[in-house]
């Protein structure tokens, strides 16, 4: 038995010529969701796969064997239900509703922009048809969503080898000029002419006659343009 204990997600970083020459192994989802299994590749070699627990193997991933050879994984066709919106009186939003109800039942779902796929279940098929969805039995590779915290960040399984650089170098300089001249297109002239006079007249007797004039002239003179719906109330 030839051991394989390393996996390269979607063959990232490998030259296309190496992937083309690599042996292949076809595995259905029942096997690929396991981290330890046996398989036979296209070269007839018996493989013993030992990956970190929780690893999901996806079609397009590459196994690296103990002798350094590469084995490209193919998602084997298997029975599935392909779910699409009704073209006559449905909409793509129906798929969102279907995914919601299937998720509530903890069903494994492959999510695509124009269809869903689940493993065969006649009860679920009837429920989906009652929601005006088209449910078609077929045989295709199955790549359901993994958990949001799946091992190796391999949650999507749709060939997303994306190294998302979420650097977020947002320059929050916070040079907020709080003159309150916020021109929100709404022409709300929030004048806010806060005349904090603070006439602290500390005389010799130190009577602290603080003349806080505080003339808060909140002159919210809303200049209501043609798109402003709320008309000002007359006093």
């Amino acid at each position: 038995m030839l051991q394989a204990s390393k996996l390269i997600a979607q063959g990232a970083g490998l030259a296309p010529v190496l992937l083309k020459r690599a042996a292949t192994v076809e595995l259905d989802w029942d096997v690929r969701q396991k981290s330890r299994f046996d398989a036979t590749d296209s070269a007839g070699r018996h493989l013993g796969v030992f990956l970190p627990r929780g690893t999901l193997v996806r079609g397009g991933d590459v196994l690296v064997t103990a002798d350094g050879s590469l084995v490209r994984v193919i998602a084997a066709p298997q029975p599935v239900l392909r779910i699409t919106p009704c073209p006559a009186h449905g909409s793509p939003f129906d798929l969102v509703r279907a995914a919601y109800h299937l998720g509530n039942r903890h069903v494994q779902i492959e999510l695509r922009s124009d269809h869903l796929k689940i493993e065969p279940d006649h009860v679920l098929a009837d429920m989906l048809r009652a929601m005006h969805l088209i449910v078609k039995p077929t045989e295709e590779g199955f790549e359901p969503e993994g958990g949001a915290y799946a091992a190796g960040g391999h949650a999507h399984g749709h060939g997303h080898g994306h190294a998302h650089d979420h650097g977020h170098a947002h320059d929050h300089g916070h040079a907020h000029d709080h003159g309150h001249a916020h021109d929100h297109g709404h022409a709300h002239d929030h004048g806010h002419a806060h005349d904090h006079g603070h006439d602290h007249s500390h005389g010799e007797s130190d009577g602290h006659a603080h003349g806080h004039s505080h003339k808060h002239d909140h002159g919210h003179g809303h200049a209501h343009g043609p798109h402003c719906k709320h008309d000002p109330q007359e006093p």
Side-chain angles (χ1 to χ4, degrees):
M1 179 185 292
L2 185 59
Q3 182 171 322
S5 56
K6 182 179 178 181
L7 181 141
I8 302 175
Q10 302 301 295
L14 297 176
V17 65
L18 293 177
L19 295 175
K20 187 175 180 180
R21 293 175 181 171
T24 59
V25 60
E26 285 199 19
L27 305 170
D28 64 18
W29 176 243
D30 185 58
V31 174
R32 289 185 289 110
Q33 62 183 310
K34 300 173 183 175
S35 54
R36 288 164 171 75
F37 55 86
D38 295 344
T40 302
D41 70 10
S42 59
R45 299 178 301 178
H46 187 199
L47 306 176
V49 179
F50 298 90
L51 298 171
R53 292 193 180 278
T55 300
L56 302 177
V57 181
R58 302 292 189 171
D61 288 349
V62 176
L63 297 168
V64 183
T65 64
D67 65 1
S69 59
L70 305 176
V71 181
R72 183 166 50 88
V73 177
I74 297 173
Q78 64 182 79
V80 294
L81 298 178
R82 198 173 196 273
I83 305 154
T84 54
C86 175
H89 55 276
S91 75
F93 180 73
D94 293 339
L95 292 178
V96 178
R97 293 177 58 244
Y100 171 80
H101 289 292
L102 292 170
N104 275 346
R105 291 160 175 78
H106 303 286
V107 176
Q108 292 187 313
I109 317 169
E110 179 175 339
L111 302 174
R112 298 287 180 170
S113 61
D114 60 348
H115 70 273
L116 308 174
K117 277 190 278 189
I118 63 173
E119 292 179 300
D121 185 306
H122 71 277
V123 174
L124 294 177
D126 290 343
M127 178 193 77
L128 293 166
R129 290 187 179 105
M131 295 168 62
H132 306 294
L133 289 154
I134 306 300
V135 182
K136 178 184 176 183
T138 186
E139 288 203 4
E140 298 179 4
F142 186 46
E143 296 284 7
E145 286 291 300
Y149 303 99
H154 213 131
H156 295 290
H158 304 308
H160 296 303
H162 304 311
H164 297 284
D165 184 12
H166 296 293
H168 295 306
H170 298 288
D171 185 11
H172 296 294
H174 293 298
H176 297 286
D177 184 359
H178 292 289
H180 294 291
H182 296 278
D183 186 6
H184 293 294
H186 224 75
H188 293 264
D189 186 9
H190 297 287
H192 285 76
H194 295 262
D195 185 9
H196 296 287
H198 286 78
D199 215 7
H200 295 272
S201 171
H202 296 286
E204 292 183 1
S205 61
D206 200 14
H208 288 78
H210 296 274
H212 296 285
S213 51
H214 289 304
K215 296 193 308 186
H216 292 271
D217 185 10
H218 294 288
H220 294 287
H222 296 270
H224 295 274
H227 302 293
C228 191
K229 303 292 185 186
H230 46 283
D231 292 330
Q233 297 295 320
E234 293 295 334

